[in-house]
Every structure is written in structure tokens, then in C-alpha cells.
Amino acid sequence: MTLTELRYIVAVARERHFGRAAEACFVSQPTLSVAIKKLEEELDCKIFERGGSEVSVTPIGEEIVRQAQQVIEQAQGIKEIAKRGKDPLSGPLRLGVIYTIGPYLLPDLVKQAIEKTPQMPLVLQENFTAKLLDMLRTGELDAAIMAEPFPDTGLAVAPLYDEPFMIAVPRSHPLATRSAIPAEELKRETMLLLGTGHCFRDHVLEVCPEYARFSSDAEGIRKSFEGSSLETIKYMVSSGMGITVMPQLSVPAEEQPHLAFVPFADPVPTRRVVLAWRRSFTRYEAIAALRNAIYACPLPGVTRLTA
């Protein structure tokens, strides 16, 4: 039994597909398949059920995969301990960020990280919360910046900041001149939403639950539209297609010719942004350095938090 074979079974369990797992491990599919078959023969049990287009993990295979992941992490921990003896911050840190935070935090964060810990480059991955949680669990990421709530997966979590929401409307819209808008008024407007999978979509639907039904006849609600990113939705709002709700850090510093951002009236909805990492992750100094780099970013309009 080798670490390479253990990495192969973890990859197959994650991808549920031998071909994709082979690509992720940078080997050919026959190489991966032969190695897994050899391991199954050595253990005298089936780890995977092969059938149809998708691979499933057997009940005993689930336990083996979990143990394999722990062994891989412990092996990596040995390397990290050796590195820490020379420089606690040496080596890259693999950081995940959700799509609705990345474009607005990463430019400043990368700059701060280069200035403060040049020996610890950030290897960045933008994705949905569910995917980042999976990559944390399997050791593909060391840490992730996400918005609560998310499923309790036994991760260590440190709060970073509370971020208020703003309402984006066309500059010509009657709401553009208001000093603040109650959430109740938004149900009379055409709301532009992020597509399914974005946690910020769920945050907006908490503020405006009427839009969860996509009703065309309830209290004047018109059909809602979906966009693939906050920046796409901004352009849709600018063109007069509707209004939307945005996190504070996505609001441009300069005044926009076709777009106005108006605060919510109290109570102002917010989201809590946190840093999460596996409790078994041994580079404590790296996590602390990353938090310090985040706190050194401007973060206009948010409430900074400390654990």
C-alpha cells in the first residue's frame, strides 16, 4: 500500500469517475485503475462498485477512503513540520474563496500577502461554497473564505467581518434618490438574482423571500431573472432590466453613471464572512498570517471581527 494509491482512491471517491480522477491525479486512466485494483486485491475487499457512467463507493470503501484521507493529511503534516523548523511560513497556502467575495477581496489580499509573507504565495481557487467545503475536506485546499451559514463539517472557523447589503438600482429609477429603502418595498420590483449554487442568492432570498417563488401574480411581483456573476447583474441593472441586492465590498468606489447604490433601512441585512480550515491543518502560523493580511485590506463599509 502506497500514498499514491491512497491518493487515487480519494480522487475516485470525490469525482465518482475513473477518467476524471485520473485527470485530477495527472496519470492515465489505466495506470489509476490498475493501482486501485491492486490495492483492492491487497485489502481483499471492494472499495468501488463499477457500473454505468458513475462509480459508487461501497460501505467499507467509505471507511477506507476516510482513513486514506487522514493518512494523506498526516503524511503532509510531516512535511509541514519539517518546513516549520526552517520557516513557519514557508511554502504556498492553498486558499479557496467563494465567487461573490473573490473579485472584491483578492486583489488587496494578494498585495498584502506578497508584502507581509512573500515566502508564502497564495494558490487561489474560486468556487461555490459546497465545492470549497469538499476540497477542504479532501485536503485540496488549506483554508477557505466563505459566508455563513454553511453545513457543520467539523472545520475550525474564525470570523473576519460582517458585510452589509446594498440595493443597486438604475440611476433613472425612482428609488435611486432615496436615502434608505425598507426590504419590504423590493417585492414590488423586478429582482435580478445570481443563479442556483451561489450562497449569496440564498442570502438575497432571505431578505426578499417573495422571489423564491418566482411568482408573476403575487403582490405585483414580476418575473425575476438570473445572472452568472455579480458583475453581469450590475450591467443588467444599468440597462434598466431591474434591481438587485449586492454585498458592500462589490459597490464601486467611484460614482457610476447608470447605476445607483442605496442602503437598506434598518434592520440592515448582512452576511458574516469567515475563514475556515481543517482542525488537523498544522500550519497555525500560516492561518494567523493570512488573517492578518485580510485585516490589513481596506474593507470599506464592513465591520471587522476578531475571534
Side-chain angles (χ1 to χ4, degrees):
M1 183 186 309
T2 66
L3 283 174
T4 298
E5 291 169 347
L6 297 184
R7 290 191 183 97
Y8 288 169
I9 65 171
V10 168
V12 173
R14 181 182 66 249
E15 300 293 342
R16 293 293 199 268
H17 191 276
F18 277 83
R20 291 194 296 271
E23 289 178 10
C25 295
F26 303 102
V27 297
S28 67
Q29 183 172 334
T31 297
L32 180 136
S33 297
V34 168
I36 291 177
K37 189 172 187 301
K38 173 177 170 292
L39 180 59
E40 288 179 322
E41 290 173 353
E42 179 182 343
L43 298 176
D44 193 24
C45 70
K46 265 191 173 299
I47 301 174
F48 301 108
E49 291 287 350
R50 291 107 164 141
S53 59
E54 190 168 284
V55 176
S56 61
V57 187
T58 64
I60 191 67
E62 294 278 6
E63 295 184 42
I64 291 172
V65 169
R66 279 196 296 272
Q67 188 66 36
Q69 182 57 49
Q70 292 179 26
V71 171
I72 292 168
E73 286 186 25
Q74 289 165 359
Q76 183 61 34
I78 293 172
K79 295 180 181 179
E80 298 298 343
I81 290 169
K83 285 182 182 178
R84 287 167 62 191
K86 301 175 184 177
D87 181 353
L89 299 177
S90 66
L93 184 75
R94 298 168 298 175
L95 176 65
V97 188
I98 58 174
Y99 289 118
T100 57
I101 293 177
Y104 316 109
L105 176 63
L106 289 181
D108 286 323
L109 176 56
V110 170
K111 179 183 176 183
Q112 293 294 336
I114 291 172
E115 290 179 359
K116 296 179 182 301
T117 52
Q119 73 277 39
M120 188 183 78
L122 298 179
V123 179
L124 303 171
Q125 165 77 236
E126 280 189 286
N127 220 308
F128 297 112
T129 299
K131 181 61 176 177
L132 295 182
L133 288 170
D134 190 45
M135 295 177 76
L136 276 174
R137 181 179 60 81
T138 59
E140 294 174 85
L141 290 175
D142 300 320
I145 300 172
M146 301 178 289
E148 290 184 329
F150 48 81
D152 181 7
T153 55
L155 296 172
V157 176
L160 296 174
Y161 54 85
D162 284 340
E163 183 176 20
F165 298 164
M166 297 283 283
I167 303 163
V169 301
R171 179 66 66 179
S172 58
H173 196 286
L175 293 176
T177 59
R178 299 276 292 277
S179 59
I181 303 171
E184 176 73 12
E185 289 191 32
L186 301 188
K187 66 184 182 183
R188 295 192 291 270
E189 304 293 333
T190 299
M191 179 67 72
L192 307 181
L193 298 170
L194 284 171
T196 304
H198 290 277
C199 62
F200 190 71
R201 169 195 174 92
D202 300 327
H203 295 155
V204 174
L205 292 178
E206 287 179 16
V207 177
C208 312
E210 296 84 0
Y211 289 99
R213 297 191 295 270
F214 293 97
S215 172
S216 59
D217 56 5
E219 299 188 52
I221 298 172
R222 295 189 289 276
K223 179 175 173 58
S224 296
F225 299 90
E226 296 185 2
S228 59
S229 73
L230 290 177
E231 294 306 306
T232 299
I233 289 179
K234 282 182 189 176
Y235 285 115
M236 294 167 71
V237 173
S238 296
S239 66
M241 293 182 65
I243 70 169
T244 195
V245 175
M246 313 287 286
Q248 175 68 48
L249 291 184
S250 71
V251 176
E254 307 82 15
E255 186 171 297
Q256 303 295 295
H258 305 295
L259 199 59
F261 294 90
V262 186
F264 275 91
D266 289 333
V268 177
T270 64
R271 67 175 178 180
R272 174 153 296 183
V273 175
V274 301
L275 178 65
W277 65 95
R278 291 184 309 284
R279 295 186 185 276
S280 59
F281 187 57
T282 58
R283 295 177 63 190
Y284 314 114
E285 298 87 350
I287 295 296
L290 176 61
R291 290 183 69 193
N292 289 337
I294 294 169
Y295 289 136
C297 296
L299 303 178
V302 310
T303 302
R304 298 165 189 267
L305 304 170
T306 55

